[in-house]
Amino acid sequence: IYGDTAPINGGHKKHREHTMKRLILIVLALIILPASTAFAAPATGLTDMEKLGRFLFKDKNLSYNGTQSCQVCHHPFAGFADRRNERHPATSVVSIGADGVSKGGRNAPSAAYAGYSPHLEYIDGGWVGGLFWDGRADGSVLGDPLAEQAMGPPLNAVEMAMPNRASIIDVIEESAYADLFFNVFGPDAFNNVEIAYTDFGRALAAYQRSGQVTRFTSRFDTSQASFSEVEQEGATLFQENCRACHTTDAQYSAPAPLFTNYRYHNIGVPPNPLVPLDTPDIGLGGTLNDSTQDGKFKVPTLRNIAASPPYAHNGYFPTLTEMVNFLNDNGGVTPEIDENITPLVGNMGLNESEIDAIVSFLMTLTDQ
């Protein structure tokens, strides 16, 4: 399983001792795990940093009770969003924590394509970039919003619930892939917990930026010539009605469109009764402590959107058709935050067949 890890550094006794422990773990894994689990999704084509991030992304031991990894809430079969929500979008709209009971307050967004989001910055009259729905991973700590975001869930009490950073680094140091951590970050990789934890975030970010997660392999990327008449109509309608927020230009050094401008808007989403909150979710306004930004949430990428229901920051819309219908005419619902609502949505004037055509186009954005 771990044949791609680095050679043992003979000059470090502690490293050798942990390596022996890991060899024992490897043997046990080969004996206990079925082949379909042990050898799934090979790490071929990845750099050492990306391979390390892949191990971290899939390691359930990075939760307090060994039941939850990053991949549980960001699964490839759900476009790197939460597969439990994807399977039951009408009743499961937020992720469940490692304790099996706690629930987050927002729908888990896709981890794919997140690495292109720039630092949170005020540009041309609005805020752009950052990660999480509210932009609080703004890039100011590590110079990388994605690495900062990756450091959050393991310590979140309603997610992976690890007690502190040291406990997370202990798990990595005792793991069967610790040699790879040494190889990537050097022989002193575990000497300083704070540095090691930021390296943990950087490695996770590297994997999420890799070709295994951020693929650009959708039909939009590879076979637009094969679009059906309805899909082509949807592409045209999308260009006419949706590109102001979900730009079809390639930006931020991406090789193809990301279908987001990384800005923030309050589109008037109603509160979701399946996400009981003590107070309304004010989104970006809470991050910035600025009431003029209340109710604004980040415009998501539409790549893999058909594979990752439900939709909106609180998962209010279980299907893509319902989401597009809402963007078309607002549906007469009462917004959770009835302030700062953007005029860019709610008045598109599309008919039912046109909405269906846009949905058909959005389904071409799923990576293969």
Side-chain angles (χ1 to χ4, degrees):
I1 304 172
Y2 305 107
D4 52 17
T5 55
I8 298 171
N9 187 329
H12 296 275
K13 181 179 179 182
K14 184 178 181 181
H15 187 178
R16 290 197 301 271
E17 291 172 349
H18 286 299
T19 299
M20 291 304 297
K21 293 178 182 178
R22 289 190 295 277
L23 289 173
I24 294 172
L25 290 172
I26 292 169
V27 172
L28 288 173
L30 290 172
I31 294 172
I32 296 171
L33 292 178
S36 61
T37 301
F39 297 100
T44 54
L46 301 180
T47 66
D48 280 355
M49 174 79 99
E50 292 165 349
K51 290 174 185 175
L52 174 61
R54 178 177 176 272
F55 283 125
L56 295 169
F57 192 80
K58 296 172 179 288
D59 192 350
K60 291 184 178 181
N61 290 320
L62 294 172
S63 61
Y64 85 99
N65 58 358
T67 63
Q68 191 171 70
S69 66
C70 300
Q71 182 169 278
V72 169
C73 297
H74 299 283
H75 199 283
F77 291 172
F80 288 93
D82 195 317
R83 195 179 186 197
R84 296 165 298 189
N85 297 342
E86 180 265 335
R87 286 170 167 171
H88 307 285
T91 56
S92 178
V93 299
V94 296
S95 297
I96 299 173
D99 62 6
V101 178
S102 299
K103 292 183 178 181
R106 294 173 183 157
N107 176 241
S110 172
Y113 302 96
Y116 287 102
S117 184
H119 295 203
L120 184 66
E121 187 176 3
Y122 193 79
I123 301 174
D124 297 332
W127 290 93
V128 182
L131 281 173
F132 292 112
W133 280 103
D134 59 9
R136 66 185 185 275
D138 60 10
S140 64
V141 178
L142 300 181
D144 181 355
L146 184 55
E148 292 174 16
Q149 183 277 331
M151 294 165 59
L155 295 170
N156 190 311
V158 299
E159 295 186 57
M160 298 164 79
M162 291 293 275
N164 50 51
R165 296 183 175 195
S167 64
I168 295 168
I169 299 307
D170 285 345
V171 169
I172 299 170
E173 191 171 8
E174 294 292 334
S175 73
Y177 54 84
D179 282 339
L180 190 54
F181 202 96
F182 278 112
N183 187 58
V184 171
F185 295 115
D188 299 325
F190 295 115
N191 287 6
N192 183 298
V193 167
E194 294 304 310
I195 293 174
Y197 195 65
T198 61
D199 288 341
F200 159 82
R202 295 185 194 282
L204 276 170
Y207 174 61
Q208 291 175 78
R209 289 187 170 102
S210 77
Q212 283 198 356
V213 180
T214 297
R215 299 174 182 171
F216 293 102
T217 58
S218 71
R219 288 180 55 223
F220 175 86
D221 299 296
T222 62
S223 54
Q224 289 189 45
S226 70
F227 278 10
S228 68
E229 183 177 340
V230 172
E231 290 167 344
Q232 187 57 60
E233 178 191 2
T236 300
L237 289 166
F238 184 92
Q239 187 78 0
E240 294 171 350
N241 294 278
C242 309
R243 69 186 302 267
C245 295
H246 299 284
T247 178
T248 53
D249 298 325
Q251 296 181 317
Y252 303 104
S253 301
L258 297 165
F259 297 98
T260 176
N261 59 9
Y262 291 118
R263 290 183 176 270
Y264 292 79
H265 294 293
N266 180 3
I267 62 173
V269 174
N272 192 335
L274 296 176
V275 189
L277 300 175
D278 294 332
T279 58
D281 190 343
I282 59 175
L284 181 64
T287 296
L288 300 175
N289 193 26
D290 179 356
S291 62
T292 68
Q293 305 302 314
D294 283 359
K296 295 185 180 182
F297 293 91
K298 192 176 182 183
V299 176
T301 177
L302 298 182
R303 286 185 171 273
N304 293 314
I305 194 70
S308 55
Y311 304 106
H313 70 277
N314 60 7
Y316 184 87
F317 305 98
T319 69
L320 203 47
T321 298
E322 288 171 279
M323 182 78 248
V324 177
N325 264 312
F326 172 79
L327 295 171
N328 182 46
D329 63 12
N330 289 125
V333 297
T334 301
E336 182 173 16
I337 303 293
D338 195 12
E339 300 168 351
N340 312 313
I341 294 180
T342 179
L344 294 174
V345 301
N347 53 6
M348 292 193 290
L350 301 172
N351 61 40
E352 185 175 340
S353 66
E354 290 172 326
I355 289 172
D356 289 343
I358 289 178
V359 171
S360 294
F361 167 68
L362 294 175
M363 294 178 70
T364 71
L365 305 182
T366 302
D367 285 327
Q368 305 301 304

